[in-house]
Amino acid sequence: MKNENKIIITCAVTGAIHTPTMSPYLPLKPEEIAEEAVKAAEAGAAIVHIHARDPKTGIPTSDVNVFREILSRIKEKSDVVICPTTGGGLGMTVEERIRVVPELKPEIASFNMGSMNFALHHLIEKYKEFKFDWEKRYLEMSRDFIFRNTFKDLEHIAKTFYENETKPELECYDVGHIYNAAYLLSTGVLKPPLHIQFVHGILGGIGTHLEDLMHMKRTADRLFGGNFTWSVIGAGRFEFGLCTAGLILGGHVRVGMEDNLYLGKGRLAKSNAEMVEKMVRIARELGREPATPDEARKILGLKGKDKVNF
Ligand code: KMH
Ligand code: ZN
């Protein structure tokens, strides 16, 4: 089968949105995060997207040593492409967020394309009480939180990525972020071909209607012609629907507990692998075969797993 027909499934295994109360299955410790990532890869994920959490409390952390432990554990057991976050978690500085790139020199990492009020406070009302003190405070703080990615930041982040031969995965949470990417491409800050991830359903960004995805896709088509690859995220219950739409439109997809904790209505996913398995089933039913990690490396033009620093 040719690479054009291959679908890259990314699994985002823990993230910095959901908190321990929301699911007992959310991996928190480095060994749990790594294990979930390895199993997701075995289930068919070609890329795993990684955030780190404090091993004791589960609070998202930018500690490079925790990232290093997670990434090395995964690499020991799997050849999956490892994509750490540079979005980090609420309250981290840009410098803290991007440290993983010069330190660990990953093949690919997330690169957030604009500033926004990344809001999670609306999740509070779903829970009567929280396991840890920090959870409610963390979610509440997002009501007034600007996820900072100014043009000055974006230039600095891009420079750091290219110096380390790390491919940017451009997280676009709204149409304006696609225009930001086009501007940075026109000024030479970003280099073609771009890899864009359309992120739907974060409060503060674009919604989860099919028309929203069509608008993002049409805008990127118009601005970049055929010279880009793309993937879709649908937060919460829209995950599988939007990913299915994305795969029908010829894109790649991301699933996993960072974006959604449920496998179906009222049914918590017990593992990230279960979510990947579901996506693999849908893809195969619709005639798309999951890409292997090496096929994903080729499709995205990555430098290779021997060139990372972990
Ligand atoms: N949390 C997602 C909505 C990042 O880590 O840099 C997008 C994301 C961003 O994964
Ligand atoms: Zn992330």
Side-chain angles (χ1 to χ4, degrees):
M1 196 177 282
K2 289 230 186 78
N3 272 349
E4 300 93 75
N5 207 29
K6 293 283 170 109
I7 179 172
I8 300 172
I9 299 176
T10 295
C11 185
V13 299
T14 187
I17 291 176
H18 295 124
T19 66
T21 296
M22 299 177 185
S23 170
Y25 307 109
L26 186 69
L28 304 173
K29 297 185 190 336
E31 61 273 24
E32 292 168 354
I33 296 170
E35 179 77 3
E36 280 287 299
V38 170
K39 289 195 171 138
E42 286 165 0
I47 303 179
V48 288
H49 172 70
I50 302 295
H51 286 245
R53 291 178 184 263
D54 180 275
K56 288 203 185 80
T57 59
I59 302 179
T61 178
S62 60
D63 187 333
V64 174
N65 293 324
V66 183
F67 272 97
R68 189 183 293 283
E69 180 180 351
I70 297 168
L71 271 48
S72 334
R73 280 177 181 268
I74 300 169
K75 193 178 167 211
E76 233 170 66
K77 295 205 180 129
S78 173
D79 74 339
V80 69
V81 176
I82 304 173
C83 171
T85 180
T86 69
L90 305 181
M92 294 176 196
T93 65
V94 172
E95 271 318 316
E96 286 168 339
R97 283 165 31 199
I98 61 168
R99 208 170 288 149
V100 289
V101 174
E103 293 274 347
L104 304 175
K105 305 189 189 302
E107 294 181 80
I108 184 169
S110 64
F111 183 162
N112 293 272
M113 266 299 108
S115 302
M116 62 191 284
N117 184 175
F118 199 116
L120 306 173
H121 61 278
H122 60 294
L123 299 175
I124 293 174
E125 67 189 35
K126 295 187 179 172
Y127 303 90
K128 283 205 190 77
E129 48 190 48
F130 287 91
K131 238 186 245 167
F132 294 97
D133 280 355
W134 66 267
E135 295 179 73
K136 193 168 174 191
R137 235 182 305 127
Y138 182 82
L139 299 168
E140 181 53 41
M141 147 194 179
S142 71
R143 194 188 293 273
D144 196 30
F145 171 66
I146 306 290
F147 182 34
R148 185 195 153 126
N149 297 288
T150 64
F151 282 105
K152 188 173 172 197
D153 296 330
L154 298 178
E155 287 164 16
H156 174 53
I157 297 170
K159 190 164 172 283
T160 309
F161 270 66
Y162 292 124
E163 276 170 3
N164 292 285
E165 291 182 87
T166 298
K167 172 110 179 179
E169 177 187 80
L170 307 179
E171 315 296 327
C172 293
Y173 300 77
D174 219 324
V175 185
H177 294 176
I178 302 176
Y179 280 93
N180 290 357
Y183 168 72
L184 293 173
L185 186 66
S186 75
T187 53
V189 170
L190 287 177
K191 300 186 173 107
L194 303 185
H195 179 55
I196 301 178
Q197 186 143 258
F198 302 134
V199 185
H200 292 262
I202 298 297
L203 185 60
I206 200 166
T208 48
H209 199 280
L210 184 56
E211 284 300 328
D212 295 322
L213 172 60
M214 294 307 294
H215 187 41
M216 295 287 268
K217 161 86 164 62
R218 273 194 300 263
T219 304
D221 282 341
R222 177 162 42 77
L223 294 174
F224 309 119
N227 196 22
F228 72 107
T229 48
W230 61 279
S231 173
V232 187
I233 295 175
R237 67 180 188 277
F238 300 96
E239 175 164 87
F240 291 101
L242 267 193
C243 285
T244 304
L247 83 84
I248 292 168
L249 292 169
H252 304 288
V253 299
R254 174 171 122 173
V255 296
M257 292 192 198
E258 172 162 349
D259 307 323
N260 166 39
L261 295 169
Y262 291 85
L263 211 49
K265 196 169 163 48
R267 204 151 46 96
L268 280 173
K270 294 205 166 92
S271 69
N272 279 278
E274 276 187 331
M275 302 177 111
V276 175
E277 282 161 11
K278 176 166 173 169
M279 202 60 238
V280 168
R281 284 197 301 275
I282 295 170
R284 289 203 169 123
E285 285 293 336
L286 295 172
R288 303 239 352 242
E289 191 58 27
T292 64
D294 279 343
E295 285 166 342
R297 288 186 171 95
K298 214 160 159 200
I299 294 167
L300 299 176
L302 305 184
K303 64 180 174 181
K305 59 178 183 284
D306 49 326
K307 296 214 173 84
V308 300
N309 189 35
F310 55 85

